Amino acid sequence: QVRLVESGGGSVQTGGSLRLSCVASSEYIVSRCVGWFRQAPGKEREGVARIYTALGGTRYADSVVGRFTISQDNAKNTVWLQMNSLKPEDTAMYYCAAVSPYCPAVWAEVSAWPYWGQGTQVTVSS
């Protein structure tokens, strides 16, 4: 059983930055696909970014391109999400997800990801 634990959420003002971390319970991060998703109250969960840890390939939602960066540290079984220039519309619960052996063809499809963390709250005030 894979366990994913997110941390790093908090409250910031518009324009601020946060770095989220997703730590896997084992070496599961290595050579896997790891994604970050978010869900705002009353809205569906949506894909934010994903990384294929074997090669480092990344994808981003259009709404975060140029502001968010997903990265990995395989030695620490960790995937990071650096969030800069935060906006109030970024306010949501952020979740880490994982799937193997490859990233889904439609990476933002929530149902394609079998393993999820419990989430970390990000609140951006104007």
Side-chain angles (χ1 to χ4, degrees):
Q1 183 72 18
V2 177
R3 182 166 177 254
L4 303 172
V5 179
E6 306 96 332
S7 64
S11 297
V12 297
Q13 293 187 329
T14 298
S17 298
L18 286 172
R19 187 173 74 157
L20 306 183
S21 66
C22 171
V23 181
S25 59
S26 64
E27 293 181 356
Y28 191 79
I29 291 289
V30 179
S31 297
R32 300 287 186 265
C33 194
V34 180
W36 282 98
F37 292 74
R38 65 187 181 187
Q39 188 167 18
K43 295 187 176 181
E44 294 186 352
R45 193 169 297 190
E46 62 175 2
V48 175
R50 70 87 168 146
I51 187 167
Y52 180 52
T53 60
L55 299 176
T58 59
R59 294 288 187 274
Y60 296 91
D62 290 344
S63 60
V64 305
V65 169
R67 300 188 299 123
F68 291 10
T69 302
I70 189 171
S71 61
Q72 66 194 74
D73 185 337
N74 290 350
K76 296 182 179 180
N77 300 328
T78 302
V79 169
W80 311 94
L81 184 68
Q82 177 67 43
M83 307 187 296
N84 299 327
S85 302
L86 283 162
K87 305 174 181 180
E89 50 264 45
D90 295 317
T91 295
M93 184 71 79
Y94 282 71
Y95 298 90
C96 174
V99 63
S100 65
Y102 304 111
C103 293
V106 181
W107 70 268
E109 176 56 57
V110 171
S111 63
W113 298 76
Y115 302 110
W116 292 85
Q118 294 300 306
T120 185
Q121 178 67 39
V122 172
T123 302
V124 185
S125 58
S126 58

